[in-house]
Amino acid sequence: MKTLIIVAHPNLDESSTQQFLQAASIDSKVQWHALDNRPLNVAGEQRLLRQADRIIFQFPLYWYSAPASLKNWEDTVLTRAFAYPATGGSLIGKQLGLVISLGQPAAHYAAGAPEQFSLSQLTVPYQALAQRLQMTWLPSFIVDQFGYQSETQKMQLLVDYQRYLTQPSLGHFDGEVDWIVTKLAAINTHQHGPEQQKLALIIDQIKQNEATLEDLQDTLTMLKEGED
Amino acid sequence: MADQKWLIDQLQKLSETSTHFKDRALYLATIKMVIEQQRRIDTAEGEIDGRTWNPSDW
């Protein structure tokens, strides 16, 4: 699965949030694509989109929307001939998600909270875009108050963001377990001796737990069927 | 349960000794996942017990 991150930020180099996310995104199956002031090469942008399975719009929330560069990109690149299902349909079946950074706590975006409206409400135009182009909409990934986060919170953010970019089945615990096991196995290819053996045992134990859970869930399914 | 404690202890040590930020982050996320894995195992075992001990079968 290939992921394309389209980053819209007027001062990318000065954003510690975006610098952190860029470092976290480094992966052979992830492409970081920052929009700048240069004219858009429409064919080139469309080629990038065609190659991706998961497309992410990543931006700081400016006046309850994305910076203007993303709207310009949408209006220029998503042509009728390319994107409309009836005439091009190049994005049908692909996933679309948002990574939104906030200066305020995410909890402020709710009915009755200081901002009154939820992020699900504010991002309706993107949801409509996904629906119109027959894409699969992903729950948005929110990064709030990055500058105030502790080191532990940043470590959790790093892994959650990497999973958002590369975990095939988002929102499924099995998918999270498989993703973590794959990452641990990748680390272990660089370990040696006792450290390598220890990590191999850890991976085995996690897989055993996974098998145990699967067996229990099968038993439960059988019990429930017997009760019907 | 002993396996679970061993697992978390080992991951905790790895997260403390690793010099790579990304690796440390992964070890800590793994601990969180393992705790959730055990919680789901406990819940499923509890539900199986509950459904198996059906008073109408006494």
Side-chain angles (χ1 to χ4, degrees):
Chain A
M1 189 191 77
K2 287 185 179 174
T3 300
L4 173 67
I5 315 168
I6 297 164
V7 187
H9 196 297
N11 307 105
L12 196 56
D13 294 342
E14 294 168 21
S15 166
S16 57
T17 310
Q18 297 299 328
Q19 301 297 319
F20 179 89
L21 296 178
Q22 184 171 16
S25 74
I26 295 169
D27 185 290
S28 60
K29 291 177 180 167
V30 175
Q31 183 161 7
W32 176 277
H33 180 56
L35 303 179
D36 53 29
N37 294 327
R38 286 176 294 182
L40 289 163
N41 172 347
V42 174
E45 299 291 321
Q46 292 177 346
R47 197 177 317 116
L48 288 177
L49 289 169
R50 278 197 187 92
Q51 290 165 355
D53 304 297
R54 182 173 293 172
I55 297 159
I56 306 295
F57 293 164
Q58 182 168 304
F59 54 86
L61 198 68
Y62 281 7
W63 285 120
Y64 310 105
S65 187
S69 59
L70 184 60
K71 182 66 168 73
N72 177 55
W73 178 93
E74 285 176 63
D75 295 349
T76 309
V77 175
L78 302 179
T79 59
R80 188 176 288 264
F82 171 75
Y84 266 44
T87 49
S90 302
L91 303 176
I92 292 173
K94 295 181 187 291
Q95 299 176 329
L96 180 63
L98 305 180
V99 174
I100 303 174
S101 53
L102 304 173
Q104 307 90 342
H108 281 198
Y109 291 85
E115 299 293 349
Q116 287 297 338
F117 298 99
S118 71
L119 289 164
S120 289
Q121 289 172 292
L122 296 172
T123 57
V124 159
Y126 298 103
Q127 297 167 45
L129 180 79
Q131 191 268 341
R132 186 70 184 82
L133 303 184
Q134 296 179 21
M135 302 175 79
T136 302
W137 178 253
L138 300 174
S140 300
F141 185 89
I142 308 302
V143 184
D144 66 337
Q145 298 197 297
F146 176 78
Y148 295 102
Q149 292 192 13
S150 67
E151 189 181 47
T152 306
Q153 286 173 315
K154 282 179 180 159
M155 285 197 270
Q156 186 64 51
L157 169 67
L158 184 144
V159 174
D160 289 344
Y161 178 65
Q162 289 178 328
R163 283 180 45 222
Y164 190 72
L165 298 179
T166 62
Q167 184 180 309
S169 52
L170 281 175
H172 294 275
F173 185 63
D174 294 355
E176 179 181 346
V177 175
D178 292 344
W179 186 92
I180 284 179
V181 164
T182 305
K183 290 287 177 188
L184 290 173
I187 290 180
N188 214 20
T189 58
H190 304 294
Q191 305 277 26
H192 303 284
E195 291 298 311
Q196 191 176 45
Q197 287 169 359
K198 189 197 287 179
L199 195 48
L201 282 172
I202 288 171
I203 292 169
D204 278 350
Q205 186 61 49
I206 292 169
K207 285 181 177 171
Q208 276 180 39
N209 287 353
E210 194 178 20
T212 301
L213 185 55
E214 209 173 296
D215 286 348
L216 289 168
Q217 283 164 343
D218 287 347
T219 305
L220 263 177
T221 304
M222 280 195 302
L223 280 172
K224 285 176 186 173
E225 281 170 359
E227 289 169 6
D228 287 341
Chain B
M1 203 53 84
D3 290 342
Q4 175 80 352
K5 188 178 180 316
W6 174 86
L7 191 53
I8 291 172
D9 285 349
Q10 297 306 312
L11 286 162
Q12 192 69 47
K13 279 180 197 161
L14 284 169
S15 75
E16 286 162 9
T17 54
S18 174
T19 52
H20 300 288
F21 186 80
K22 283 186 179 180
D23 292 354
R24 288 173 58 210
L26 182 66
Y27 294 137
L28 287 182
T30 307
I31 291 175
K32 196 175 162 195
M33 180 275 287
V34 163
I35 290 169
E36 174 62 17
Q37 207 175 33
Q38 189 60 49
R39 191 192 67 76
R40 287 177 184 236
I41 289 170
D42 292 344
T43 304
E45 284 174 344
E47 190 175 350
I48 288 169
D49 274 355
R51 286 180 185 273
T52 310
W53 282 86
N54 186 343
S56 62
D57 293 339
W58 289 1

